[in-house]
């Protein structure tokens, strides 16, 4: 392409030179012959040079027009290749080719950027790119989800989420590793932030990698409790089982001989068997079956759960309200296991309301932009105190008389094994949120 343009340029000036030589020759001839011929030659010289300059300026305007069109993403321009001098046709063909190549390169670059954006949106880590003025240069969907924002164009918008979070991100420097805890409508977020840097087109940018480590912490905590429970139940079962067995043997041997001894052995045996039954109930926490997911409609599922809860725990003074959006919402999970979670949460809600008049339990479902399905279970019973809310998912923790303290722990474990999560949202009313990814 460069060679062709150079050739066309040479042709321009070659024609100018020929015209000039012709005119000079004519002038020389005119000096020796007549002044009339001299005047005609001079006019021819001037007209030829002006015509060549005009043609050169015309092609220069065409080049500038092409550049402006490309800058404005306009690829509809086209210079005629049928009319004009051979040189003009060649120039127009060259400009059309240049425009097509440049537009193709620009379109390919835009497509490649879109490709990278799609890749970033599938990354489980939130990514935010900031310039030194705090403007958001780039972000992915996971970052918006973690921060709870729909639009994120400047760091100052974080003041709507948490002032401390905005301050730490605003002042972070490359190489920093930060941890910030804040609250939003999704509950408590334990955010880990790693900062790096890059220079793009002579502009300094900071790259922030955001991770909500609540899930990781919860999984490690649950795994620790499971291992501890397995060890304790194993040791207790191994120690108590022989004692109860020995007591039963001694009772059969000494039957009717010594009532006091028999009574003592009977007490030991009964207590041991009660302890074994007690330990066996806690082993459920470590024996949750592997989920077998399938598709099921949320609306029919929720209606069935409400009906079952009302049958198991009569509560005529409590009004249930369901809101399924959209009505044909489908979840891919183990319906039997999820039903245990929902029934347990409804039972807790009914017990929390107690005899309170005008009791109300709301069940709402929705699907967000990340295609996550949320099931919210809310009740207007007494608010859970903050000091208790911190421990409700800990195995064996309970404030109920005669409670086992494993209901919410098992529920969270089921949601974890199902690829989702169970969280408590403490606002004016107690709300548990089941989220399916």
């Amino acid at each position: 392409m460069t060679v062709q343009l150079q050739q066309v340029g040479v042709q321009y000036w070659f024609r100018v030179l020929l015209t000039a030589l012709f005119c000079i020759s004519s002038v020389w001839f005119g000096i020796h012959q007549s002044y009339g011929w001299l005047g005609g030659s001079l006019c021819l010289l001037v007209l030829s040079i002006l015509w060549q300059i005009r043609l050169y300026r015309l092609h220069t305007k065409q080049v500038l027009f092409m550049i402006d069109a490309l800058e404005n993403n306009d690829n509809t321009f086209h210079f005629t290749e049928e009319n004009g001098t051979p040189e003009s046709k060649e120039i127009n063909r060259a400009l059309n080719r240049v425009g097509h190549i440049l537009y193709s390169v620009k379109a390919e670059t835009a497509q490649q950027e879109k490709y990278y954006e799609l890749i970033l949106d599938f990354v489980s880590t939130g990514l935010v790119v900031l310039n030194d003025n705090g403007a958001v240069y780039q972000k992915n969907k996971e970052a918006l989800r973690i921060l709870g924002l729909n639009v994120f164009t400047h760091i100052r918008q974080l003041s709507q989420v948490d002032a401390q979070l905005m301050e730490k991100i605003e002042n972070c420097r490359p190489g920093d590793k930060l941890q910030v805890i804040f609250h939003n409508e999704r509950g408590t977020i334990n955010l880990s932030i790693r900062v790096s840097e890059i220079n793009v087109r002579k502009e300094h940018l900071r790259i922030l990698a955001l991770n909500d480590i609540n899930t990781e912490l919860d999984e490690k905590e649950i795994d620790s409790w499971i291992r501890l429970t397995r060890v304790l139940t194993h040791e207790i079962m191994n120690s108590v089982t022989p004692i109860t067995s020995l007591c039963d043997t001694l009772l059969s041997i000494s039957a009717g001989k010594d009532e006091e001894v028999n009574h003592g052995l009977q007490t030991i045996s009964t207590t041991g068997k009660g302890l074994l039954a007690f330990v066996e109930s806690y082993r459920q926490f470590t024996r949750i079956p592997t989920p077998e997911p399938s598709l099921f409609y949320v609306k029919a599922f929720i209606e069935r759960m409400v009906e079952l809860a009302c049958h198991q725990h009569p509560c005529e003074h409590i009004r249930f309200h369901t809101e399924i959006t959209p009505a044909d919402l489908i979840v891919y999970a183990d319906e039997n296991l999820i039903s245990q979670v929902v029934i347990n949460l409804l039972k807790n809600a009914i017990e929390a309301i107690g005899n309170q008049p005008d009791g109300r339990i709301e069940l709402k479902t929705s699907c967000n932009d990340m295609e996550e399905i949320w099931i919210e279970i809310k009740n207007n019973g007494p608010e859970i105190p903050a000091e208790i809310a911190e421990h409700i998912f800990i195995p064996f923790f309970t404030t109920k008389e005669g409670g086992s303290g494993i209901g919410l722990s098992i529920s969270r474990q089921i949601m974890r094994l199902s690829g989702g999560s169970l969280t408590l949202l403490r606002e004016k009313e107690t709300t548990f949120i089941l989220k399916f990814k």
Side-chain angles (χ1 to χ4, degrees), residues 21-45:
L21 289 174
F22 172 76
C23 293
I24 291 172
S25 299
S26 299
V27 170
W28 182 85
F29 182 78
I31 292 174
H32 293 80
Q33 298 296 328
S34 66
Y35 289 105
W37 184 259
L38 174 63
S41 298
L42 289 175
C43 290
L44 179 62
L45 172 63

Side-chain angles (χ1 to χ4, degrees), residues 33-180:
Q33 298 296 328
S34 66
Y35 289 105
W37 184 259
L38 174 63
S41 298
L42 289 175
C43 290
L44 179 62
L45 172 63
V46 173
L47 290 174
S48 177
I49 293 175
L50 291 175
W51 179 78
Q52 294 292 343
I53 293 175
R54 176 181 175 276
L55 195 61
Y56 186 78
R57 287 178 176 176
L58 175 64
H59 291 152
T60 301
K61 289 180 179 179
Q62 287 179 312
V63 172
L64 295 176
F65 175 80
M66 178 190 70
I67 294 174
D68 290 338
L70 290 173
E71 286 182 345
N72 293 313
N73 293 320
D74 179 13
N75 65 324
T76 59
F77 69 89
H78 180 79
F79 302 111
T80 179
E81 300 177 9
E82 290 77 22
N83 302 323
T85 64
E87 293 81 6
S88 296
K89 295 178 182 179
E90 190 68 27
I91 280 287
N92 290 346
R93 279 193 292 270
L95 291 177
N96 289 335
R97 287 186 61 190
V98 169
H100 177 72
I101 292 173
L102 291 178
Y103 183 80
S104 298
V105 170
K106 193 169 185 178
E108 185 178 350
T109 301
Q111 187 176 11
Q112 199 169 29
E113 289 180 356
K114 187 65 176 178
Y115 171 71
Y116 291 140
E117 286 181 7
L118 290 174
I119 292 178
L120 289 178
D121 285 338
F122 281 96
V123 175
S124 59
T125 297
L127 295 173
V128 177
V129 181
L130 303 170
N131 65 13
D132 292 335
N133 296 323
V136 178
Y137 190 84
Q138 184 63 281
K139 75 275 184 184
N140 64 352
K141 290 183 179 179
E142 180 64 13
L144 295 177
R145 187 192 69 82
I146 291 175
L147 297 174
L149 296 172
N150 294 323
V151 179
F152 188 28
T153 58
H154 197 277
I155 196 173
R156 290 291 178 183
Q157 291 175 258
L158 293 177
S159 61
Q160 305 171 12
V161 180
D162 186 84
Q164 183 184 9
L165 174 64
M166 185 199 72
E167 182 180 355
K168 286 198 173 185
I169 290 182
E170 189 175 26
N171 298 323
C172 68
R173 293 294 174 263
D176 289 350
K177 297 178 182 178
L178 311 174
Q179 186 171 343
V180 185

Side-chain angles (χ1 to χ4, degrees), residues 367-383:
C367 183
N368 61 18
D369 295 336
M370 302 294 293
E371 296 186 354
E372 297 173 336
I373 297 174
W374 287 31
I375 299 179
E376 299 182 17
I377 300 178
K378 179 189 298 185
N379 71 81
N380 64 341
E383 183 180 357

Side-chain angles (χ1 to χ4, degrees), residues 222 225-226 229 282-288 395 409-410 413:
I222 289 175
W225 279 111
I226 288 175
T229 303
Y282 283 107
R283 295 181 72 176
Q284 299 175 18
F285 182 63
T286 65
R287 289 180 174 179
I288 298 174
S409 302
I410 292 177
Q413 175 72 342

